[in-house]
Amino acid sequence: MELRTLQYFVTVVKEGNFFYQKAREILGLVNFTRETLEGFSEINGTLYLGGTDSQYNEELFKTFHQLRQEYPQINLNFLSGTIEDTFKRLDSGDIDFAIILGPVDTEKYNTLPLPWWDIFSALVPDSSPLYLKEVLKHEDFETQQLILPNHPMIRKIVAGWLNMPLEMLNVSSVYTFPYTASSLVQAGLGIALCKDAILNTSQSNLRFIPIEDPISLPLQLLWRRDSAMSQVALKFLDVVTEKVATAEYYPQ
C-alpha cells in the first residue's frame, strides 16, 4: 500500500513538473506575442505640416518634440509655401495639417483656432523719410511703394485698411518668404509689410516700425474633413488640442 502511494506521488510530481514547464512555455509565448503586437502597433512615421512662416510655428514644433519624447520613431516634415501651394498640398494629401492665417472654408476643412496672432509691421530702409518715425499711420503708406505678402486675402485687407480700391494700391512687388521681403526692401523697391518677429534686422540698415492700428491675423490649424488621419497625425492633434485648451492668452 505504501509502495503504491509512493508511486502515485512520484507520478503526480512528474506530471506536475511537466505541466509547470509547459505552462511556463505557454506564458512565455503569450508574453512574446503580446510584446510583438505592441511593437507592430507602436506609433511611427512622419507628420507633414505646411503653411505660413510664423514665429509661433516654434510652439507647434515644441509640441511635436513633446510627442516625440513618447514616440521616438516619429519625425516631422514642414513645407513652407504660398497659400495656394499649401491648400494644394492639403487637398492632395501631401500634408496632414496646414497652418493658415485668417478665415477659411469650414465646410471643406476642420479648423482648430490657435492662441496666437501674427502682427504685421513696416520694414523700412534707412534711406526712407519714414525711417526715424516711432509709429507709422495709414497716411504714411499712401505715397509709398508697397511690398506685400503673396497672399490675396492680405492684399485685400491692406486695401480696406488704407480705405482705397485694391487696384489703386501702389504694389511694387510681392514675396513669399520674409527673407525675400528684406532683400526687396534693400533693393529699393519700397517698404514691406512683414511679421516683425521673424526677421533679425539688428545688423542691417533696415528697421521695423510699428503701425497704428496694425493688421493682425489669427493662426489656424486645418485638416481635410474627408481624409483618414495617420496615427501620428491623430496623436499630434490630441496634444495640440490640449495645449490650445489650456492656453491663457491670445497675444494680439
Side-chain angles (χ1 to χ4, degrees):
M1 186 65 102
E2 292 180 358
L3 181 59
R4 287 182 180 179
T5 302
L6 180 60
Q7 289 175 338
Y8 175 76
F9 178 78
V10 171
T11 300
V12 169
V13 170
K14 286 183 177 179
E15 291 176 350
N17 284 334
F18 175 79
F19 176 79
Y20 174 73
Q21 294 299 326
K22 286 299 180 182
R24 289 191 61 181
E25 291 177 12
I26 292 170
L27 287 174
L29 181 60
V30 169
N31 289 333
F32 173 77
T33 303
R34 185 183 68 249
E35 291 171 0
T36 301
L37 290 175
E38 288 176 352
F40 286 147
S41 63
E42 182 179 354
I43 294 177
N44 54 57
T46 300
L47 178 71
Y48 293 92
L49 294 178
T52 185
D53 286 314
S54 169
Q55 61 170 320
Y56 296 112
N57 286 354
E58 183 179 344
E59 296 297 328
L60 292 176
F61 300 157
K62 287 179 180 177
T63 301
F64 179 82
H65 175 67
Q66 173 188 342
L67 187 62
R68 199 169 189 270
Q69 300 306 299
E70 186 175 356
Y71 305 103
Q73 301 302 316
I74 65 175
N75 51 72
L76 175 65
N77 190 338
F78 182 80
L79 301 173
S80 298
T82 65
I83 187 71
E84 292 86 357
D85 290 339
T86 299
F87 276 118
K88 285 179 182 177
R89 287 167 177 160
L90 189 60
D91 291 339
S92 64
D94 291 336
I95 56 177
D96 300 303
F97 299 99
I99 305 166
I100 299 296
L101 281 174
V104 294
D105 180 2
T106 55
E107 291 186 4
K108 188 174 183 180
Y109 305 104
N110 291 306
T111 63
L112 177 65
L114 299 173
W116 311 300
W117 292 63
D118 270 334
I119 300 174
F120 289 81
S121 297
L123 184 61
V124 179
D126 60 6
S127 59
S128 169
L130 303 177
Y131 187 79
L132 296 179
K133 289 199 170 189
E134 294 302 318
V135 177
L136 297 186
K137 298 182 179 181
H138 291 203
E139 54 265 29
D140 291 322
F141 292 85
E142 293 176 356
T143 58
Q144 299 295 316
Q145 294 187 89
L146 301 179
I147 301 167
L148 300 180
N150 186 14
H151 194 311
M153 182 192 68
I154 294 179
R155 292 200 289 275
K156 290 180 181 178
I157 290 174
V158 170
W161 181 70
L162 293 176
N163 195 27
M164 64 173 59
L166 182 61
E167 60 273 13
M168 294 296 292
L169 288 180
N170 185 10
V171 180
S172 68
S173 50
V174 298
Y175 68 90
T176 298
F177 302 107
Y179 178 77
T180 304
S182 66
S183 297
L184 292 168
V185 175
Q186 289 277 19
L189 288 170
I191 64 174
L193 282 180
C194 284
K195 307 165 191 175
D196 60 5
I198 293 181
L199 291 173
N200 181 2
T201 59
S202 61
Q203 302 299 318
S204 73
N205 65 327
L206 309 178
R207 68 180 284 243
F208 277 105
I209 304 177
I211 302 169
E212 186 178 68
D213 185 24
I215 295 172
S216 60
L217 294 173
L219 287 164
Q220 299 193 68
L221 191 69
L222 269 65
W223 63 100
R224 286 171 45 192
R225 286 188 176 275
D226 60 350
S227 64
M229 299 177 71
S230 67
Q231 285 185 309
V232 62
L234 287 170
K235 282 291 184 183
F236 178 75
L237 183 59
D238 285 343
V239 177
V240 173
T241 301
E242 181 179 354
K243 185 183 186 74
V244 168
T246 57
E248 297 180 355
Y249 63 95
Y250 285 67
Q252 298 184 42

